[in-house]
Amino acid sequence: KQSAIGKAIHYCLNQWSTLSRYIEDSRLNIDNNRAERAVKPFVIGRKNWLFNHNHRGAEASAMLYSIIETAKANGLIPFDYIAHCLEQLSSPSCDLNSLLPWHVKLSKA
């Protein structure tokens, strides 16, 4: 019971109800790799955030990262999506709802 394999088996048995959820619902992922990949740019760019000397700069960075990651999650190329949004925002009759990434139809990434 005190060996490494014994501890692993004991841990597995204690987590059995949680582990069995993956069998019951096929939509669940057994790992969080997708979430880890999504936050990786933030981890890598952490030192760049030191240049946000005030709260407004940090908010602007957070908004830009959010727009980019949401575009990626919806299968859009972030550069093309932002360019499309800027073009549409320059028109006086722009509908903001139509600019949401799940409503925009551009070439896929």
mmCIF file of all heavy atoms in Angstrom, residues 48-82:
data_model
loop_
_atom_site.group_PDB
_atom_site.id
_atom_site.type_symbol
_atom_site.label_atom_id
_atom_site.label_comp_id
_atom_site.label_asym_id
_atom_site.label_seq_id
_atom_site.Cartn_x
_atom_site.Cartn_y
_atom_site.Cartn_z
ATOM 1 N N ASN A 48 6.011 40.746 -21.316
ATOM 2 C CA ASN A 48 5.580 41.880 -22.120
ATOM 3 C C ASN A 48 4.544 42.719 -21.385
ATOM 4 O O ASN A 48 4.415 43.913 -21.647
ATOM 5 C CB ASN A 48 5.002 41.406 -23.461
ATOM 6 C CG ASN A 48 6.056 40.780 -24.328
ATOM 7 O OD1 ASN A 48 7.235 41.055 -24.186
ATOM 8 N ND2 ASN A 48 5.639 39.938 -25.239
ATOM 9 N N TRP A 49 3.815 42.105 -20.479
ATOM 10 C CA TRP A 49 2.789 42.841 -19.753
ATOM 11 C C TRP A 49 3.388 43.850 -18.791
ATOM 12 O O TRP A 49 2.693 44.718 -18.299
ATOM 13 C CB TRP A 49 1.876 41.890 -19.004
ATOM 14 C CG TRP A 49 1.090 41.006 -19.908
ATOM 15 C CD1 TRP A 49 0.966 41.125 -21.268
ATOM 16 C CD2 TRP A 49 0.334 39.880 -19.556
ATOM 17 N NE1 TRP A 49 0.175 40.137 -21.768
ATOM 18 C CE2 TRP A 49 -0.230 39.344 -20.727
ATOM 19 C CE3 TRP A 49 0.062 39.245 -18.349
ATOM 20 C CZ2 TRP A 49 -1.038 38.237 -20.737
ATOM 21 C CZ3 TRP A 49 -0.742 38.141 -18.363
ATOM 22 C CH2 TRP A 49 -1.290 37.639 -19.534
ATOM 23 N N LEU A 50 4.676 43.731 -18.512
ATOM 24 C CA LEU A 50 5.325 44.704 -17.636
ATOM 25 C C LEU A 50 5.288 46.096 -18.250
ATOM 26 O O LEU A 50 5.441 47.097 -17.555
ATOM 27 C CB LEU A 50 6.770 44.282 -17.350
ATOM 28 C CG LEU A 50 6.938 42.976 -16.573
ATOM 29 C CD1 LEU A 50 8.413 42.612 -16.493
ATOM 30 C CD2 LEU A 50 6.334 43.084 -15.188
ATOM 31 N N PHE A 51 5.075 46.150 -19.561
ATOM 32 C CA PHE A 51 5.023 47.435 -20.238
ATOM 33 C C PHE A 51 3.658 48.104 -20.097
ATOM 34 O O PHE A 51 3.474 49.232 -20.538
ATOM 35 C CB PHE A 51 5.394 47.290 -21.723
ATOM 36 C CG PHE A 51 6.812 46.850 -21.904
ATOM 37 C CD1 PHE A 51 7.092 45.553 -22.307
ATOM 38 C CD2 PHE A 51 7.858 47.720 -21.649
ATOM 39 C CE1 PHE A 51 8.400 45.140 -22.471
ATOM 40 C CE2 PHE A 51 9.168 47.308 -21.805
ATOM 41 C CZ PHE A 51 9.445 46.018 -22.212
ATOM 42 N N ASN A 52 2.702 47.418 -19.515
ATOM 43 C CA ASN A 52 1.405 48.033 -19.227
ATOM 44 C C ASN A 52 1.568 48.850 -17.947
ATOM 45 O O ASN A 52 1.414 48.346 -16.851
ATOM 46 C CB ASN A 52 0.318 46.966 -19.042
ATOM 47 C CG ASN A 52 -0.014 46.284 -20.334
ATOM 48 O OD1 ASN A 52 0.066 46.864 -21.389
ATOM 49 N ND2 ASN A 52 -0.401 45.023 -20.241
ATOM 50 N N HIS A 53 1.888 50.115 -18.118
ATOM 51 C CA HIS A 53 2.204 50.950 -16.956
ATOM 52 C C HIS A 53 0.973 51.411 -16.194
ATOM 53 O O HIS A 53 1.090 51.937 -15.103
ATOM 54 C CB HIS A 53 3.019 52.174 -17.400
ATOM 55 C CG HIS A 53 4.357 51.795 -17.945
ATOM 56 N ND1 HIS A 53 5.348 51.260 -17.164
ATOM 57 C CD2 HIS A 53 4.854 51.851 -19.204
ATOM 58 C CE1 HIS A 53 6.410 51.019 -17.902
ATOM 59 N NE2 HIS A 53 6.133 51.362 -19.149
ATOM 60 N N ASN A 54 -0.187 51.220 -16.767
ATOM 61 C CA ASN A 54 -1.388 51.639 -16.045
ATOM 62 C C ASN A 54 -2.524 50.657 -16.308
ATOM 63 O O ASN A 54 -2.410 49.753 -17.128
ATOM 64 C CB ASN A 54 -1.788 53.074 -16.426
ATOM 65 C CG ASN A 54 -2.071 53.228 -17.900
ATOM 66 O OD1 ASN A 54 -2.683 52.371 -18.512
ATOM 67 N ND2 ASN A 54 -1.635 54.338 -18.473
ATOM 68 N N HIS A 55 -3.599 50.895 -15.613
ATOM 69 C CA HIS A 55 -4.756 49.992 -15.687
ATOM 70 C C HIS A 55 -5.375 49.974 -17.081
ATOM 71 O O HIS A 55 -5.792 48.924 -17.571
ATOM 72 C CB HIS A 55 -5.783 50.429 -14.643
ATOM 73 C CG HIS A 55 -6.963 49.538 -14.541
ATOM 74 N ND1 HIS A 55 -6.882 48.261 -14.014
ATOM 75 C CD2 HIS A 55 -8.256 49.694 -14.915
ATOM 76 C CE1 HIS A 55 -8.059 47.690 -14.063
ATOM 77 N NE2 HIS A 55 -8.923 48.540 -14.604
ATOM 78 N N ARG A 56 -5.419 51.105 -17.743
ATOM 79 C CA ARG A 56 -6.030 51.167 -19.071
ATOM 80 C C ARG A 56 -5.237 50.354 -20.093
ATOM 81 O O ARG A 56 -5.814 49.709 -20.967
ATOM 82 C CB ARG A 56 -6.162 52.619 -19.525
ATOM 83 C CG ARG A 56 -7.234 53.359 -18.750
ATOM 84 C CD ARG A 56 -7.427 54.771 -19.217
ATOM 85 N NE ARG A 56 -7.936 54.760 -20.573
ATOM 86 C CZ ARG A 56 -7.845 55.780 -21.409
ATOM 87 N NH1 ARG A 56 -7.270 56.899 -21.024
ATOM 88 N NH2 ARG A 56 -8.342 55.701 -22.626
ATOM 89 N N GLY A 57 -3.907 50.376 -19.982
ATOM 90 C CA GLY A 57 -3.081 49.569 -20.881
ATOM 91 C C GLY A 57 -3.309 48.079 -20.675
ATOM 92 O O GLY A 57 -3.377 47.302 -21.628
ATOM 93 N N ALA A 58 -3.439 47.676 -19.414
ATOM 94 C CA ALA A 58 -3.704 46.267 -19.104
ATOM 95 C C ALA A 58 -5.076 45.849 -19.622
ATOM 96 O O ALA A 58 -5.238 44.745 -20.157
ATOM 97 C CB ALA A 58 -3.608 46.040 -17.598
ATOM 98 N N GLU A 59 -6.067 46.722 -19.475
ATOM 99 C CA GLU A 59 -7.402 46.412 -19.993
ATOM 100 C C GLU A 59 -7.388 46.276 -21.512
ATOM 101 O O GLU A 59 -8.032 45.385 -22.066
ATOM 102 C CB GLU A 59 -8.398 47.501 -19.585
ATOM 103 C CG GLU A 59 -8.882 47.387 -18.167
ATOM 104 C CD GLU A 59 -9.920 48.442 -17.829
ATOM 105 O OE1 GLU A 59 -10.053 49.436 -18.569
ATOM 106 O OE2 GLU A 59 -10.604 48.251 -16.823
ATOM 107 N N ALA A 60 -6.657 47.161 -22.178
ATOM 108 C CA ALA A 60 -6.573 47.099 -23.642
ATOM 109 C C ALA A 60 -5.927 45.785 -24.081
ATOM 110 O O ALA A 60 -6.391 45.145 -25.024
ATOM 111 C CB ALA A 60 -5.793 48.298 -24.174
ATOM 112 N N SER A 61 -4.854 45.373 -23.388
ATOM 113 C CA SER A 61 -4.199 44.101 -23.714
ATOM 114 C C SER A 61 -5.150 42.932 -23.508
ATOM 115 O O SER A 61 -5.222 42.025 -24.334
ATOM 116 C CB SER A 61 -2.956 43.903 -22.844
ATOM 117 O OG SER A 61 -1.974 44.831 -23.160
ATOM 118 N N ALA A 62 -5.880 42.943 -22.413
ATOM 119 C CA ALA A 62 -6.819 41.857 -22.117
ATOM 120 C C ALA A 62 -7.904 41.780 -23.180
ATOM 121 O O ALA A 62 -8.276 40.688 -23.615
ATOM 122 C CB ALA A 62 -7.429 42.055 -20.735
ATOM 123 N N MET A 63 -8.411 42.935 -23.616
ATOM 124 C CA MET A 63 -9.444 42.939 -24.658
ATOM 125 C C MET A 63 -8.902 42.395 -25.969
ATOM 126 O O MET A 63 -9.564 41.598 -26.643
ATOM 127 C CB MET A 63 -9.984 44.351 -24.855
ATOM 128 C CG MET A 63 -10.951 44.774 -23.788
ATOM 129 S SD MET A 63 -11.714 46.344 -24.187
ATOM 130 C CE MET A 63 -10.826 47.418 -23.100
ATOM 131 N N LEU A 64 -7.700 42.803 -26.332
ATOM 132 C CA LEU A 64 -7.113 42.339 -27.587
ATOM 133 C C LEU A 64 -6.866 40.835 -27.550
ATOM 134 O O LEU A 64 -7.201 40.122 -28.499
ATOM 135 C CB LEU A 64 -5.817 43.086 -27.892
ATOM 136 C CG LEU A 64 -5.191 42.811 -29.239
ATOM 137 C CD1 LEU A 64 -6.170 43.130 -30.371
ATOM 138 C CD2 LEU A 64 -3.927 43.627 -29.416
ATOM 139 N N TYR A 65 -6.307 40.330 -26.447
ATOM 140 C CA TYR A 65 -6.106 38.886 -26.320
ATOM 141 C C TYR A 65 -7.440 38.146 -26.379
ATOM 142 O O TYR A 65 -7.545 37.084 -26.980
ATOM 143 C CB TYR A 65 -5.392 38.535 -25.015
ATOM 144 C CG TYR A 65 -3.891 38.699 -25.083
ATOM 145 C CD1 TYR A 65 -3.229 39.581 -24.241
ATOM 146 C CD2 TYR A 65 -3.126 37.963 -25.980
ATOM 147 C CE1 TYR A 65 -1.861 39.727 -24.288
ATOM 148 C CE2 TYR A 65 -1.755 38.098 -26.042
ATOM 149 C CZ TYR A 65 -1.126 38.982 -25.185
ATOM 150 O OH TYR A 65 0.227 39.111 -25.239
ATOM 151 N N SER A 66 -8.459 38.697 -25.757
ATOM 152 C CA SER A 66 -9.779 38.061 -25.766
ATOM 153 C C SER A 66 -10.345 37.992 -27.179
ATOM 154 O O SER A 66 -10.890 36.958 -27.593
ATOM 155 C CB SER A 66 -10.719 38.840 -24.851
ATOM 156 O OG SER A 66 -11.989 38.263 -24.856
ATOM 157 N N ILE A 67 -10.217 39.074 -27.926
ATOM 158 C CA ILE A 67 -10.704 39.091 -29.315
ATOM 159 C C ILE A 67 -9.959 38.062 -30.147
ATOM 160 O O ILE A 67 -10.564 37.296 -30.903
ATOM 161 C CB ILE A 67 -10.545 40.506 -29.912
ATOM 162 C CG1 ILE A 67 -11.541 41.467 -29.253
ATOM 163 C CG2 ILE A 67 -10.732 40.481 -31.422
ATOM 164 C CD1 ILE A 67 -11.280 42.926 -29.558
ATOM 165 N N ILE A 68 -8.657 38.000 -29.994
ATOM 166 C CA ILE A 68 -7.837 37.066 -30.779
ATOM 167 C C ILE A 68 -8.193 35.619 -30.447
ATOM 168 O O ILE A 68 -8.400 34.795 -31.342
ATOM 169 C CB ILE A 68 -6.339 37.339 -30.543
ATOM 170 C CG1 ILE A 68 -5.950 38.664 -31.211
ATOM 171 C CG2 ILE A 68 -5.478 36.195 -31.053
ATOM 172 C CD1 ILE A 68 -4.571 39.163 -30.858
ATOM 173 N N GLU A 69 -8.280 35.294 -29.172
ATOM 174 C CA GLU A 69 -8.568 33.913 -28.777
ATOM 175 C C GLU A 69 -10.000 33.506 -29.152
ATOM 176 O O GLU A 69 -10.239 32.365 -29.519
ATOM 177 C CB GLU A 69 -8.324 33.706 -27.282
ATOM 178 C CG GLU A 69 -6.858 33.776 -26.899
ATOM 179 C CD GLU A 69 -5.986 32.773 -27.636
ATOM 180 O OE1 GLU A 69 -6.400 31.618 -27.839
ATOM 181 O OE2 GLU A 69 -4.861 33.155 -28.016
ATOM 182 N N THR A 70 -10.941 34.441 -29.086
ATOM 183 C CA THR A 70 -12.314 34.125 -29.485
ATOM 184 C C THR A 70 -12.398 33.896 -30.986
ATOM 185 O O THR A 70 -13.120 33.007 -31.446
ATOM 186 C CB THR A 70 -13.272 35.252 -29.053
ATOM 187 O OG1 THR A 70 -13.118 35.474 -27.654
ATOM 188 C CG2 THR A 70 -14.716 34.881 -29.333
ATOM 189 N N ALA A 71 -11.646 34.690 -31.754
ATOM 190 C CA ALA A 71 -11.601 34.475 -33.204
ATOM 191 C C ALA A 71 -11.033 33.095 -33.508
ATOM 192 O O ALA A 71 -11.584 32.349 -34.327
ATOM 193 C CB ALA A 71 -10.772 35.562 -33.878
ATOM 194 N N LYS A 72 -9.939 32.731 -32.835
ATOM 195 C CA LYS A 72 -9.343 31.404 -33.040
ATOM 196 C C LYS A 72 -10.333 30.300 -32.683
ATOM 197 O O LYS A 72 -10.460 29.309 -33.408
ATOM 198 C CB LYS A 72 -8.086 31.244 -32.176
ATOM 199 C CG LYS A 72 -6.888 31.992 -32.651
ATOM 200 C CD LYS A 72 -5.741 31.668 -31.704
ATOM 201 C CE LYS A 72 -4.551 32.556 -31.876
ATOM 202 N NZ LYS A 72 -3.517 32.237 -30.872
ATOM 203 N N ALA A 73 -11.024 30.457 -31.554
ATOM 204 C CA ALA A 73 -11.978 29.435 -31.100
ATOM 205 C C ALA A 73 -13.123 29.257 -32.090
ATOM 206 O O ALA A 73 -13.733 28.191 -32.136
ATOM 207 C CB ALA A 73 -12.530 29.808 -29.724
ATOM 208 N N ASN A 74 -13.394 30.281 -32.893
ATOM 209 C CA ASN A 74 -14.457 30.204 -33.893
ATOM 210 C C ASN A 74 -13.919 29.907 -35.282
ATOM 211 O O ASN A 74 -14.628 30.065 -36.275
ATOM 212 C CB ASN A 74 -15.275 31.494 -33.887
ATOM 213 C CG ASN A 74 -16.213 31.546 -32.712
ATOM 214 O OD1 ASN A 74 -17.281 30.973 -32.758
ATOM 215 N ND2 ASN A 74 -15.788 32.191 -31.641
ATOM 216 N N GLY A 75 -12.664 29.479 -35.363
ATOM 217 C CA GLY A 75 -12.079 29.043 -36.629
ATOM 218 C C GLY A 75 -11.704 30.159 -37.576
ATOM 219 O O GLY A 75 -11.562 29.920 -38.772
ATOM 220 N N LEU A 76 -11.533 31.369 -37.059
ATOM 221 C CA LEU A 76 -11.166 32.500 -37.911
ATOM 222 C C LEU A 76 -9.680 32.816 -37.792
ATOM 223 O O LEU A 76 -9.061 32.541 -36.753
ATOM 224 C CB LEU A 76 -11.971 33.743 -37.504
ATOM 225 C CG LEU A 76 -13.483 33.633 -37.616
ATOM 226 C CD1 LEU A 76 -14.156 34.844 -36.987
ATOM 227 C CD2 LEU A 76 -13.908 33.490 -39.062
ATOM 228 N N ILE A 77 -9.136 33.404 -38.828
ATOM 229 C CA ILE A 77 -7.763 33.901 -38.775
ATOM 230 C C ILE A 77 -7.825 35.259 -38.075
ATOM 231 O O ILE A 77 -8.508 36.170 -38.570
ATOM 232 C CB ILE A 77 -7.167 34.028 -40.183
ATOM 233 C CG1 ILE A 77 -7.139 32.656 -40.853
ATOM 234 C CG2 ILE A 77 -5.787 34.659 -40.136
ATOM 235 C CD1 ILE A 77 -6.809 32.690 -42.333
ATOM 236 N N PRO A 78 -7.174 35.403 -36.919
ATOM 237 C CA PRO A 78 -7.325 36.626 -36.137
ATOM 238 C C PRO A 78 -7.031 37.914 -36.912
ATOM 239 O O PRO A 78 -7.781 38.885 -36.790
ATOM 240 C CB PRO A 78 -6.345 36.446 -34.980
ATOM 241 C CG PRO A 78 -6.266 34.971 -34.810
ATOM 242 C CD PRO A 78 -6.364 34.413 -36.201
ATOM 243 N N PHE A 79 -5.982 37.936 -37.712
ATOM 244 C CA PHE A 79 -5.649 39.136 -38.473
ATOM 245 C C PHE A 79 -6.784 39.511 -39.421
ATOM 246 O O PHE A 79 -7.204 40.673 -39.481
ATOM 247 C CB PHE A 79 -4.346 38.939 -39.254
ATOM 248 C CG PHE A 79 -3.946 40.155 -40.043
ATOM 249 C CD1 PHE A 79 -3.223 41.168 -39.444
ATOM 250 C CD2 PHE A 79 -4.310 40.282 -41.366
ATOM 251 C CE1 PHE A 79 -2.866 42.305 -40.164
ATOM 252 C CE2 PHE A 79 -3.966 41.409 -42.104
ATOM 253 C CZ PHE A 79 -3.235 42.427 -41.492
ATOM 254 N N ASP A 80 -7.297 38.523 -40.141
ATOM 255 C CA ASP A 80 -8.394 38.773 -41.076
ATOM 256 C C ASP A 80 -9.658 39.221 -40.352
ATOM 257 O O ASP A 80 -10.376 40.102 -40.821
ATOM 258 C CB ASP A 80 -8.690 37.527 -41.915
ATOM 259 C CG ASP A 80 -7.536 37.147 -42.821
ATOM 260 O OD1 ASP A 80 -6.662 38.000 -43.066
ATOM 261 O OD2 ASP A 80 -7.519 35.991 -43.286
ATOM 262 N N TYR A 81 -9.923 38.613 -39.203
ATOM 263 C CA TYR A 81 -11.107 38.971 -38.426
ATOM 264 C C TYR A 81 -11.024 40.416 -37.934
ATOM 265 O O TYR A 81 -11.985 41.184 -38.057
ATOM 266 C CB TYR A 81 -11.287 38.012 -37.249
ATOM 267 C CG TYR A 81 -12.389 38.423 -36.306
ATOM 268 C CD1 TYR A 81 -13.713 38.434 -36.725
ATOM 269 C CD2 TYR A 81 -12.108 38.820 -35.017
ATOM 270 C CE1 TYR A 81 -14.733 38.822 -35.871
ATOM 271 C CE2 TYR A 81 -13.108 39.206 -34.149
ATOM 272 C CZ TYR A 81 -14.416 39.214 -34.583
ATOM 273 O OH TYR A 81 -15.421 39.613 -33.732
ATOM 274 N N ILE A 82 -9.869 40.806 -37.382
ATOM 275 C CA ILE A 82 -9.708 42.175 -36.882
ATOM 276 C C ILE A 82 -9.787 43.170 -38.035
ATOM 277 O O ILE A 82 -10.423 44.223 -37.918
ATOM 278 C CB ILE A 82 -8.402 42.310 -36.075
ATOM 279 C CG1 ILE A 82 -8.519 41.495 -34.779
ATOM 280 C CG2 ILE A 82 -8.097 43.773 -35.767
ATOM 281 C CD1 ILE A 82 -7.236 41.379 -33.992
#
